[in-house]
């Protein structure tokens, strides 16, 4: 019989690429991870890993087992959800991860509703960049997380996760109110406020500007949209901001809607959709998006 905990480690190795990364994610030593994976090979009766120096790669058998491991882990989530559904209602801890603009606009209304309708839930929110959400869900430090991508930069599906659409937002060009309004292409010679290179927001701005025929000239880098809008209001440049981040912009900022859209989804571990606590959070977030702040 294959050990589920070892299957999880094999799945982690497939995702993270190195034993050291798996050890860090699981708070194990690299030696302990190697021992567990060796034990899994003995259970399987075939080599699962090819070792070349300090690097390892999955064999053909390892690749097959990883695919089945994802299904096994999803089935365990479904079983946990089914058992939880037998209880009287949503109860216990539920850990929610969300990006800053969602924490400011969507989460307060959703948390109030959840506390009122499901008082047995222990709600815990962590402000988290969407890039970190899939790993946090896989590692079970989150139960529900908000992910987003853009129509110009679609995300790849994660086989270990399920998700449901939450909302689509307009992306705006934010300019100082005193400047002449114009098309995106007319900002080619103006300074820009960009996100940190390597982030999704930075890549989206690059793609949108390239489609308009230019490369944005960075003056400042900031990842918090409130900071971005404050810099725009101070006349320090122009930027792109999504709708949730522009609910109450400074008076000195003018917003022009663009054709680009940001798409937000509620994600959870595959198989967990029917868990009462997960379903309650998804429903509360969906209701919150239909309120004034959700657009």
């Amino acid at each position: 019989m294959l050990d589920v905990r070892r299957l999880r480690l094999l799945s982690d190795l497939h995702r993270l690429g190195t034993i050291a990364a798996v050890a860090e994610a699981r708070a194990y030593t690299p030696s302990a991870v190697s021992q567990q994976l060796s034990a899994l090979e003995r259970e399987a009766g075939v080599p699962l890993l090819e070792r070349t120096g300090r690097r390892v790669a999955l064999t053909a058998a390892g690749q097959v087992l990883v695919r089945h491991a994802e299904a096994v882990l999803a089935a365990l989530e479904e079983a946990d959800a089914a058992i939880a559904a037998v209880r009287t209602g949503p109860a216990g801890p539920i850990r929610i991860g969300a990006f800053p603009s969602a924490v400011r606009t969507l989460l307060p209304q959703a948390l109030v509703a959840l506390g009122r309708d499901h008082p047995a839930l222990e709600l815990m929110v962590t402000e988290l960049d969407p890039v970190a959400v899939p790993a946090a869900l896989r590692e079970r430090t989150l139960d529900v997380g908000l992910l987003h991508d853009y129509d110009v930069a679609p995300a790849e599906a994660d086989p270990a996760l399920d998700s449901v659409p939450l909302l689509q937002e307009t992306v705006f060009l934010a300019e100082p109110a005193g400047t002449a309004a114009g098309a995106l292409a007319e900002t080619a010679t103006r300074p820009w406020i960009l996100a940190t290179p390597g982030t999704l927001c930075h890549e989206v701005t690059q793609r949108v500007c390239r489609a308009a025929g230019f490369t944005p000239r960075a003056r400042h880098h900031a990842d918090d949209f409130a900071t971005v809008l404050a810099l725009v209001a101070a006349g320090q440049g122009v930027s792109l901001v999504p709708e949730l981040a522009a609910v109450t912009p400074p008076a000195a900022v003018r917003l022009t809607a663009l054709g680009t859209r940001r798409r937000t989804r509620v994600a959870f571990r595959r198989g967990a959709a029917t868990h009462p606590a997960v379903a309650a959070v998804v429903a509360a977030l969906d209701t919150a998006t239909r309120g004034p702040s959700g657009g």
Side-chain angles (χ1 to χ4, degrees), residues 19-97:
I19 286 176
V22 174
E24 182 177 0
R26 294 293 176 186
Y28 294 164
T29 64
S31 176
V33 173
S34 294
Q35 290 172 14
Q36 292 299 313
L37 292 174
S38 294
L40 182 62
E41 286 185 306
R42 292 193 295 272
E43 291 172 350
V46 293
L48 302 175
L49 306 176
E50 294 176 335
R51 295 170 175 82
T52 306
R54 295 185 177 182
R55 300 189 62 82
V56 295
L58 296 182
T59 63
Q63 295 281 356
V64 169
L65 188 55
V66 160
R67 291 196 294 271
H68 285 281
E70 297 290 359
V72 168
L73 296 174
L76 288 174
E77 287 290 343
E78 290 177 2
D80 183 61
I83 292 170
V86 175
R87 302 173 188 149
T88 56
I94 182 79
R95 298 157 299 179
I96 305 164

Side-chain angles (χ1 to χ4, degrees), residues 113-185:
L114 286 166
R116 178 191 65 232
D117 298 338
H118 307 292
L121 280 177
E122 301 171 33
L123 301 165
M124 293 174 281
V125 174
T126 300
E127 187 175 280
L128 199 63
D129 189 292
V131 172
V133 165
L137 288 169
R138 280 176 170 269
E139 292 159 15
R140 309 184 76 83
T141 58
L142 286 183
D143 302 302
V144 178
L146 296 188
L147 301 174
H148 63 225
D149 67 358
Y150 292 76
D151 52 5
V152 297
E156 294 184 6
D158 188 320
L161 305 180
D162 281 337
S163 63
V164 294
L166 185 63
L167 78 160
Q168 290 198 38
E169 302 165 67
T170 299
V171 174
F172 293 95
L173 171 65
E175 305 172 272
T179 58
L184 178 64

